[in-house]
Amino acid sequence: MKKIAQIALLLLATLSMVKAQESPKEEDFYKIITPPIPEGIILEVGGLITLPNGSLGISTRRGEVWIVDNPTSRTPYFRKFATGLHEILGLAYKDGFLYCAQRGELTKLIDKNGDGKADIYETVHAWALSGHYHEYSFGPKVAPDGSFFVSGNVAFGDEEWWRGESRVPGRGWIFRITPDGKYEPYATGVRSPAGISMIKGELWYTDNQGDWMGTGGIFPVKKGGFMGHPAGLKWAESPNSPVKLTEKQFFGERDNRQERDANNRAIKPENTRNETPQFLYQLKEKYDMVQLPAVWLPYGVHGVSTAELIMDETNGDFGPFTGQVFVGDQGQSNIMRVVLEKVKGEYQGASIGFRSGFQSGVLRMTFAKDGSMFVGETNRGWGSAGDANQGLQRLVWNGKMPFEMYTVKAMPDGFEIEFTLPVDRKSAEDLDSYKVSSYLYKHYPVYGSPQIDTKDVTVKGVKLSEDGKKVRIVLDGMRQYFVHKIQLEGVRAAGNYWSLVHPDAYYTLNNIPDGEKLKVSELKTTRSGKVKATVTAPVKEHVSPDGKGKEPAPASTKTATAKKAPTWEEVKPLLAKNTCLACHATDKKVVGPSYIDVAKRKYSDAKIVELIYAPKPENWPDYATPMPAMPQVSKGDALKIAAWINSLSKK
């Protein structure tokens, strides 16, 4: 009995040691706090700003403006400042006054008698609306010269809901309102520009996946710039337009708008498999006003509905990332960290995961006076991974240092990664600790794009700095304009042997820097064979008919039947690869219905496959965001997914 007790104690001690050595997670460094909100207040945050006195300004999609005094205390005080406005999706402060972007105007809110409520709602400028529900207006953001920037969503097409249209001036544009209230078109090519931002006095915006937008992206904006979506080019030849690209140039020989529209309507998702791939960088090489994103965000991995950008200016109160940028995502209820640099005069950089688990869709963020981050949330009509319809939450750093990639910088022969903590030398000098691949997105009129032309990139060697905080990864096969997925599954922290909280970085390589390359004699090239970095299976490709590029292999024309339904472990990589998990979960509603709810419909496997390629939104009237066609899903993957979904009905 005594020996059994000793063995039990030894096992408990061993389990305790294993638990102590487990790598910390996001929540071990950044805590989500939900402040008390008085009963009856529904925020649905559309705008969020920290005022000079530390109070919080909140605008809502329901047309209200709230001021929250002492927002970081246990008893914040909420007071309604303005009401009766139209879907306020942004809030700004200038010279003692609040300004908001309603759907159709920039409004100045004035508290004339000093009672804490707005008495005067002054129209600074009103812009055109067609009345389409998707014509959201985002902003304003205050420029260094005191003017305001606003971005305008496109409307959707009558025949294809996903096809963006600019029915009135300003839709598909970023425009400027001068201090004296004059309207100036500034740049176009935007689709759903929910995150317009000023970073160090420079204008930025984020866009969302859709037609002509293969995935979400983060773009710097220059006057006269074109970011890729052609709807706004309808107004490019207006007298006050700074954009010099025309519809005729964009669509080539299609110089007749009616003919162009007819052609576009004929481009159905299922008919695009054999198109010649066209990438946004090819358009930039022809027209210098085309602006590439500084960062492409991997769809379904780092979000599905890109929201606002903010820069950390807390001087360390929010952790080690001062000067870096954070971007929220409304659909996946999470926040990513973005590391930017300029190479050959253009911005580029990496997206790295940061914090997930918010109660609703992350739309707006602002830093409080104490360095914590307030997060404004909403999901009504848009859907989100977080179950709540709305929310205001606060993200607080606990002072502990996470083991993360601090920066990722492009080098002439690879990348240099700096860490927040010194790394374990043996793991960092093992080439099997690394996995790099590259891919790109199509630029075409279908809703979204799969990852195109995915290739593994050979890691030739690494060089670790003396202090163990930087590693140079030398690669064979870097590709300009491509996203490079850098995986560090095997790298460990010195001492505690932690793995990275976020081991993956997605670097958009718009330019490869000039400079000296490392010599082979400087590199470590050993492989242990023990570390196996995981990589999402690449999309199968074939050479396009003209031989100029690659695209997803067409679906097989052969019919197939599943002998046995695949398991969750077998189907999960397929769902992840095809971005299905961005909008669906097994047992709960996200943007779309749960897979269990789909199984309850008792569709045949063949019917589910048919609905993957040609969804019928009318089948799910309770979901405001219709599912787009998914032509990139191979027939084999679709059949396996369908068989797995139907297997859920038996459980």
Side-chain angles (χ1 to χ4, degrees):
M1 184 65 71
K2 184 177 180 181
K3 189 173 183 179
I4 293 174
Q6 289 174 337
I7 292 172
L9 287 170
L10 181 61
L11 285 171
L12 285 172
T14 302
L15 287 171
S16 297
M17 288 178 63
V18 170
K19 188 173 182 180
Q21 291 176 356
E22 287 180 356
S23 293
K25 309 297 183 184
E26 294 174 344
E27 57 268 26
D28 295 315
F29 305 99
Y30 288 90
K31 182 180 180 181
I32 298 175
I33 297 173
T34 303
I37 299 174
E39 187 175 351
I41 296 179
I42 300 175
L43 292 178
E44 291 190 1
V45 179
L48 193 62
I49 186 172
T50 298
L51 302 175
N53 66 354
S55 294
L56 200 63
I58 303 173
S59 68
T60 78
R61 294 175 64 193
R62 294 178 175 238
E64 299 172 336
V65 176
W66 291 84
I67 305 296
V68 185
D69 298 318
N70 301 316
T72 59
S73 71
R74 292 184 179 181
T75 55
Y77 178 71
F78 286 72
R79 54 187 173 93
K80 188 182 290 186
F81 183 73
T83 190
L85 299 157
H86 188 180
E87 197 166 39
I88 317 171
L89 292 174
L91 195 64
Y93 178 88
K94 176 189 168 186
D95 298 335
F97 297 99
L98 285 171
Y99 293 79
C100 65
Q102 297 190 68
R103 177 163 285 228
E105 71 168 50
L106 175 63
T107 308
K108 182 179 181 180
L109 303 174
I110 303 170
D111 177 11
K112 189 174 182 180
N113 61 10
D115 66 351
K117 296 180 181 180
D119 310 299
I120 299 173
Y121 297 46
E122 180 182 303
T123 300
V124 180
H125 181 84
W127 45 82
L129 292 172
S130 76
H132 189 275
Y133 86 94
H134 201 248
E135 289 181 338
Y136 306 112
S137 298
F138 303 102
K141 294 296 177 182
V142 182
D145 66 357
S147 60
F148 299 92
F149 282 103
V150 177
S151 57
N153 244 43
V154 295
F156 280 156
D158 293 326
E159 295 189 26
E160 293 91 10
W161 71 265
W162 42 266
R163 178 171 166 251
E165 295 180 351
S166 181
R167 300 181 178 182
V168 292
R171 298 294 112 192
W173 283 76
I174 293 173
F175 48 90
R176 176 175 175 259
I177 307 299
T178 65
D180 59 353
K182 293 181 180 178
Y183 171 94
E184 293 182 357
Y186 193 81
T188 192
V190 308
R191 177 188 173 273
S192 187
I196 185 169
S197 304
M198 295 296 300
I199 305 292
K200 288 187 175 180
E202 294 182 288
L203 182 63
W204 291 74
Y205 98 101
T206 64
D207 217 323
N208 286 262
Q209 185 194 62
D211 59 318
W212 300 105
M213 287 287 171
T215 188
I218 299 171
F219 293 75
V221 184
K222 298 176 183 176
K223 188 173 184 178
F226 174 75
M227 276 69 73
H229 195 286
L233 292 177
K234 179 179 180 179
W235 316 102
E237 296 183 85
S238 300
N240 59 346
S241 168
V243 177
K244 303 307 177 186
L245 180 67
T246 66
E247 282 188 301
K248 182 177 179 180
Q249 289 172 318
F250 182 90
F251 290 103
E253 69 279 1
R254 299 177 195 174
D255 56 357
N256 181 284
R257 181 172 176 80
Q258 184 176 358
E259 176 188 351
R260 192 216 75 185
D261 283 347
N263 286 340
N264 266 354
R265 284 197 293 272
I267 299 176
K268 301 294 184 183
E270 62 269 25
N271 296 331
T272 59
R273 289 188 178 279
N274 294 322
E275 280 189 324
T276 301
Q278 182 185 9
F279 304 114
L280 188 58
Y281 76 81
Q282 293 172 321
L283 197 66
K284 179 179 175 56
E285 290 174 346
K286 191 171 183 180
Y287 301 107
D288 61 6
M289 73 286 293
V290 174
Q291 290 187 235
L292 299 177
V295 175
W296 286 117
L297 297 166
Y299 189 82
V301 180
H302 285 181
V304 294
S305 299
T306 316
E308 189 169 30
L309 290 172
I310 62 168
M311 190 174 77
D312 183 352
E313 298 179 293
T314 66
N315 296 317
D317 289 338
F318 191 64
F321 307 116
T322 294
Q324 296 186 11
V325 172
F326 295 92
V327 59
D329 187 80
Q330 191 277 324
Q332 289 197 319
S333 305
N334 60 356
I335 297 173
M336 280 63 64
R337 180 166 56 91
V338 179
V339 182
L340 295 169
E341 62 174 335
K342 258 189 176 180
V343 177
K344 298 182 179 179
E346 290 186 290
Y347 281 107
Q348 59 189 45
S351 173
I352 303 169
F354 182 65
R355 189 63 166 95
S356 57
F358 293 94
Q359 70 181 27
S360 188
V362 175
L363 190 66
R364 301 289 178 245
M365 302 172 290
T366 187
F367 284 107
K369 289 288 188 177
D370 67 353
S372 61
M373 179 193 287
F374 275 102
V375 181
E377 303 160 21
T378 180
N379 83 353
R380 173 173 55 91
W382 295 338
S384 68
D387 292 331
N389 291 327
Q390 47 83 37
L392 176 69
Q393 294 186 289
R394 184 167 156 244
L395 193 59
V396 181
W397 180 49
N398 63 8
K400 298 178 181 178
M401 184 63 69
F403 180 42
E404 295 273 28
M405 286 181 263
Y406 176 59
T407 60
V408 182
K409 295 182 179 179
M411 294 290 150
D413 51 3
F415 296 95
E416 179 186 79
I417 298 172
E418 183 177 358
F419 301 91
T420 56
L421 295 170
V423 299
D424 170 73
R425 185 167 292 272
K426 185 176 181 180
S427 68
E429 291 182 343
D430 179 1
L431 298 197
D432 286 330
S433 292
Y434 304 89
K435 180 75 176 179
V436 181
S437 58
S438 61
Y439 63 88
L440 197 51
Y441 296 99
K442 266 190 178 183
H443 180 236
Y444 65 156
V446 175
Y447 193 104
S449 168
Q451 295 176 3
I452 297 296
D453 198 9
T454 300
K455 290 182 180 179
D456 286 340
V457 181
T458 301
V459 181
K460 296 172 63 177
V462 298
K463 182 180 180 180
L464 186 63
S465 63
E466 287 297 324
D467 64 2
K469 293 191 72 173
K470 290 184 181 180
V471 64
R472 281 277 297 268
I473 306 173
V474 176
L475 304 174
D476 183 13
M478 296 171 70
R479 295 191 286 177
Q480 185 182 3
Y481 303 119
F482 280 65
V483 179
H484 287 66
K485 180 180 180 181
I486 306 166
Q487 298 174 268
L488 277 61
E489 294 280 356
V491 175
R492 297 291 183 266
N496 54 35
Y497 213 64
W498 289 347
S499 59
L500 288 154
V501 178
H502 299 95
D504 301 340
Y506 293 80
Y507 191 103
T508 302
L509 190 67
N510 289 329
N511 288 299
I512 299 174
D514 297 325
E516 189 175 348
K517 299 180 179 181
L518 293 181
K519 299 175 182 177
V520 176
S521 59
E522 300 178 74
L523 304 177
K524 295 290 184 180
T525 58
T526 57
R527 291 185 180 274
S528 68
K530 296 179 180 179
V531 181
K532 298 295 182 183
T534 59
V535 62
T536 301
V539 178
K540 292 183 179 180
E541 301 156 348
H542 72 291
V543 177
S544 58
D546 65 357
K548 295 180 180 179
K550 294 183 178 181
E551 59 183 2
S556 171
T557 57
K558 297 179 181 180
T559 59
T561 57
K563 296 180 180 178
K564 183 180 179 182
T567 65
W568 167 248
E569 288 72 22
E570 292 170 329
V571 81
K572 183 179 179 181
L574 305 182
L575 296 171
K577 178 182 74 173
N578 293 299
T579 70
C580 307
L581 296 178
C583 297
H584 301 277
T586 302
D587 56 359
K588 71 174 184 176
K589 173 183 176 180
V590 188
V591 177
S594 72
Y595 288 120
I596 286 178
D597 284 340
V598 176
K600 289 177 182 177
R601 295 290 180 94
K602 298 187 182 301
Y603 296 130
S604 66
D605 290 2
K607 183 63 176 178
I608 291 177
V609 171
E610 177 187 327
L611 292 171
I612 289 173
Y613 295 132
K616 295 185 180 299
E618 61 270 22
N619 291 351
W620 300 92
D622 295 335
Y623 292 82
T625 303
M627 175 178 165
M630 303 291 283
Q632 71 269 26
V633 182
S634 71
K635 190 68 172 291
D637 283 359
L639 282 167
K640 290 177 182 177
I641 291 168
W644 173 77
I645 290 173
N646 279 331
S647 73
L648 298 176
S649 63
K650 300 174 183 178
K651 299 179 180 180

